[in-house]
Amino acid sequence: MKRQSRRAFLGSLGATAALLPFLKSVPAAAQTTGAPKRLVLFYTSNGTIHDRWLPAGTATDWRLSEILSPLVGYENRINVIDGIDMASAGVGPGDDHARCMANLWTGTETVELAPIGTVPVYSGGGISVDQHIAKAIGGATRFSSLELGVETGSGIFGAMSYAGRAQPVPSEQTPAAAFDRVFSGLTGTTPDATAVLREQRRSVLDSLTSDFTRLRNRISIDDRPQLDAHLEAIFDIERRLGLPNDSETAACVPPQLIGDDGGFEAVGRLHTDILVAALACDATRVASLQWSQTLSYTVFSWLGLSESHHALGHSGSAGEPGVTAINHWYAERFAYLLDKLAGVTEGDRKLLDNCLVVWGNDMGYGHTHSRSNVPFVLAGSAGATVLTGRLLRYGGKPHNDLLVSVCNAMGLSTTTFGDPEFCNGPLPGLV
């Protein structure tokens, strides 16, 4: 029998072939040599309460803290990184919030741009680590990177990713638009008008289902549950979005989920599911999920709080129980992301194992705008590149060194990142 080329095989299956490139029964000529590495950045703001965040114990014998307790079961698949200082955020124009936000993933001094009237304007001074990595590995996928956000706002207080000096990369805040971008593209068409978008939303699953049926008939019985689960996940996202049906008329309006008590979580959960599906589909290998912004005016009323996250952060000891509750809630959201990644099988591994997920914050302690002891949690081993299951204490190392290690974990030979004045090279022992 003539051996079928990978291009011909994938072309014959249409869009669904992109959904699961690691099925064991896919013809050898169509298989990849192994699952790729992926990077996910997960952002929350306003620091933490250090003694309620830091686990107790030694590097290899430790137990989860009050704030991180939702990560139970993942102790062997995460690294808790303590003693990281955001030294590069201590210089440059702008206030503490602006500098910390712009420095988190860039490690570079902020820059001042032309004012708007008498109002000064600041921006990030260099490329962020996700975009740096996307430049290196993003050419293999339809999207070099995918940025999703929940109530992020705009400007220097809301932007965390930068393509370069004063080049913020905005995050998509509407799950319906993110769904269209990621999954409508599988049909091979590009939406350029509301009517086209609406039509595509009706046709995406029809197209996927048709290709899915053909693919299902050509794979082993053992692989079929994996394919079924993946397509059902996409069906579930679409159902929860409440996308328009044939009886609806007028312009397609994305669901207004933000604003009520459940909206913040609901949007973030949908974004999480879309992000994981995009990685599993190999639509991108670099993605980020940004929860709020550095000033974070979100009121976590569903936790019984009546003041914004930012206000609680500036309430000193009186606000610490609220800040603790918020960070615990964010740990639950992080655990949900890990659950979804761990639920996708790639050969003999899980998608989580092929990822490096970095949970970062823009401050150590919000009340004083401290840049010391900024909390970081890393999950996944980036394809067995990172040894996990550790509590690592670095005693004041600059966070630029962590960014170098992230690059190294993703296969880049980077030796410095951001401002070299605040960079010593990779963190010892991490990668």
Side-chain angles (χ1 to χ4, degrees):
M1 178 183 295
K2 183 177 179 181
R3 191 181 188 189
Q4 189 177 27
S5 71
R6 180 178 187 274
R7 182 184 297 272
F9 179 82
L10 295 180
S12 70
L13 294 178
T16 308
L19 297 180
L20 289 171
F22 310 109
L23 295 174
K24 295 177 182 178
S25 59
V26 172
Q31 290 182 6
T32 60
T33 57
K37 296 180 180 181
R38 283 74 153 219
L39 173 69
V40 179
L41 301 184
F42 184 97
Y43 165 85
T44 61
S45 65
N46 283 307
T48 191
I49 308 303
H50 188 256
D51 60 358
R52 301 180 188 180
W53 172 84
L54 181 65
T58 64
T60 56
D61 183 13
W62 53 277
R63 62 182 182 275
L64 290 167
S65 62
E66 176 185 355
I67 286 175
L68 297 181
S69 60
L71 301 181
V72 63
Y74 285 104
E75 292 92 334
N76 292 328
R77 300 171 86 171
I78 64 175
N79 285 318
V80 179
I81 311 295
D82 185 39
I84 297 296
D85 292 353
M86 202 181 299
S88 60
V91 297
D95 67 12
D96 289 338
H97 276 288
R99 292 198 305 270
C100 287
M101 185 68 183
N103 268 266
L104 174 58
W105 305 120
T106 69
T108 306
E109 180 178 333
T110 52
V111 295
E112 186 167 1
L113 308 179
I116 299 177
T118 60
V119 179
V121 177
Y122 309 107
S123 189
I127 193 168
S128 55
V129 68
D130 57 323
Q131 298 304 304
H132 177 70
I133 292 170
K135 278 190 173 183
I137 70 173
T141 54
R142 287 191 303 122
F143 305 111
S144 61
S145 63
L146 180 66
E147 294 77 32
L148 303 175
V150 190
E151 294 187 5
T152 61
S154 60
I156 195 168
F157 297 113
M160 73 174 196
S161 291
Y162 286 84
R165 183 183 185 275
Q167 299 176 54
V169 179
S171 60
E172 176 55 64
Q173 299 189 59
T174 306
F179 180 91
D180 290 331
R181 183 183 177 204
V182 173
F183 299 111
S184 294
L186 292 175
T187 65
T189 56
T190 302
D192 55 6
T194 299
V196 177
L197 265 174
R198 186 169 176 272
E199 181 60 31
Q200 284 191 337
R201 285 176 176 171
R202 288 200 304 266
S203 66
V204 164
L205 295 186
D206 288 341
S207 174
L208 289 176
T209 302
S210 175
D211 290 334
F212 161 82
T213 301
R214 287 189 290 150
L215 176 58
R216 199 174 192 279
N217 291 333
R218 299 176 67 172
I219 63 176
S220 71
I221 293 176
D222 291 339
D223 276 333
R224 289 176 185 176
Q226 183 180 350
L227 189 62
D228 292 343
H230 192 79
L231 194 64
E232 177 56 31
I234 296 176
F235 283 171
D236 181 61
I237 293 170
E238 199 215 28
R239 283 194 295 266
R240 286 154 54 206
L241 282 171
L243 298 182
N245 56 44
D246 289 337
S247 65
E248 292 178 316
T249 58
C252 172
V253 179
Q256 298 299 308
L257 297 175
I258 298 177
D260 59 25
D261 288 354
F264 191 71
E265 191 275 341
V267 171
R269 184 178 290 263
L270 279 165
H271 274 328
T272 300
D273 294 349
I274 292 169
L275 183 153
V276 172
L279 295 178
C281 293
D282 206 25
T284 190
R285 295 175 185 174
V286 178
S288 60
L289 179 57
Q290 178 181 345
W291 290 91
S292 195
Q293 52 147 306
T294 183
L295 294 175
S296 191
Y297 295 118
T298 303
V299 177
F300 289 72
S301 54
W302 58 96
L303 299 180
L305 304 174
S306 58
E307 294 183 89
S308 72
H309 187 184
H310 183 236
L312 287 167
H314 281 296
S315 297
S317 59
E320 289 188 0
V323 174
T324 298
I326 290 170
N327 279 279
H328 182 274
W329 186 86
Y330 276 134
E332 292 176 336
R333 308 285 76 74
F334 190 68
Y336 178 77
L337 170 61
L338 302 190
D339 287 344
K340 300 299 289 190
L341 291 169
V344 178
T345 300
E346 294 186 329
D348 58 355
R349 288 180 180 168
K350 299 297 185 179
L351 176 56
L352 174 59
D353 302 319
N354 295 315
C355 288
L356 180 66
V357 188
V358 185
W359 177 6
N361 201 301
D362 57 355
M363 290 184 178
Y365 182 51
H367 181 54
T368 60
H369 293 171
S370 171
R371 299 180 300 275
S372 299
N373 291 322
V374 177
F376 288 93
V377 178
L378 275 58
S381 64
T385 301
V386 178
L387 179 64
T388 55
R390 297 176 294 165
L391 168 60
L392 299 174
R393 304 171 190 263
Y394 284 104
K397 290 284 187 181
H399 92 293
N400 297 59
D401 295 0
L402 173 61
L403 300 181
V404 173
S405 293
V406 169
C407 293
N408 295 165
M410 294 301 296
L412 280 62
S413 57
T414 306
T415 57
T416 185
F417 192 85
D419 190 336
E421 180 180 349
F422 302 102
C423 191
N424 305 311
L427 289 175
L430 183 57
V431 178

